[in-house]
Amino acid sequence: MGNLIPRSLAYIVDFIVSVKVFFYLAPLAQQHVPAFARAYQPQTFYGHGETVVTLLFVVVFLGILAGALGRTPGMVVMALKIQTPQGTPIGIAAGILREITKLLCLTVLVGTIWALYGFIVRERPFYDDWFGCELVPVQPKGVVASQKSEPRADS
């Protein structure tokens, strides 16, 4: 379960950064994109227009970053990377689908329990298996093996 804490903190950082970016870009998009201005209103989507559009942005934004680069802002902060078993980024389509799956898991109690079960039993959630990817720690550039922190024998 050692992977759960860094991954969860990365999710929190991702959400905060994505929402901040969205709230910075939303006024610009309202001025220049009529379709966005119509969708981003409280009365659309049964009174949840702003929330739906914000979550859609978060999913697409993080999906593109994870799929194309293998890293999101939270993964950069927590020194993690999402990749295929061959070591390449998972692709934009798989990144967006992965983010949609994560969003659905976080909004549905059963999905949350299922994802946590995967962490406890196998130390990885089911959606990483679905999309054929793995989360690996990243060694910072310039750090050699002797500089890595290792547990001391006396502790």
Side-chain angles (χ1 to χ4, degrees):
M1 206 158 110
N3 198 2
L4 179 62
I5 301 299
R7 189 184 284 248
S8 299
L9 291 174
Y11 292 162
I12 292 168
V13 170
D14 284 342
F15 183 77
I16 291 169
V17 168
S18 299
V19 169
K20 290 290 186 183
V21 167
F22 176 77
F23 286 143
Y24 175 75
L25 295 176
L28 298 172
Q30 283 181 312
Q31 292 174 356
H32 301 294
V33 183
F36 179 85
R38 284 191 303 275
Y40 190 63
Q41 296 176 7
Q43 63 270 22
T44 57
F45 297 107
Y46 301 103
H48 300 286
E50 294 170 336
T51 304
V52 169
V53 173
T54 304
L55 290 176
L56 181 66
F57 173 82
V58 168
V59 164
V60 172
F61 177 70
L62 293 176
I64 290 172
L65 289 177
L69 304 175
R71 306 201 58 190
T72 62
M75 289 181 190
V76 171
V77 170
M78 297 309 298
L80 300 170
K81 184 177 181 180
I82 191 77
Q83 65 185 20
T84 64
Q86 293 79 25
T88 60
I90 62 175
I92 292 174
I96 291 173
L97 288 173
R98 183 175 182 272
E99 292 300 321
I100 290 170
T101 306
K102 284 173 28 182
L103 178 65
L104 292 175
C105 287
L106 293 174
T107 57
V108 178
L109 180 60
V110 173
T112 304
I113 293 170
W114 192 12
L116 288 173
Y117 173 78
F119 276 120
I120 293 167
V121 174
R122 298 176 304 119
E123 292 191 358
R124 59 184 285 140
F126 66 91
Y127 49 79
D128 281 352
D129 292 335
W130 285 5
F131 297 107
C133 56
E134 57 189 10
L135 195 68
V136 295
V138 177
Q139 180 175 343
K141 293 189 184 322
V143 175
V144 295
S146 64
Q147 292 175 312
K148 289 184 181 177
S149 63
E150 296 178 9
R152 295 183 356 180
D154 60 343
S155 53

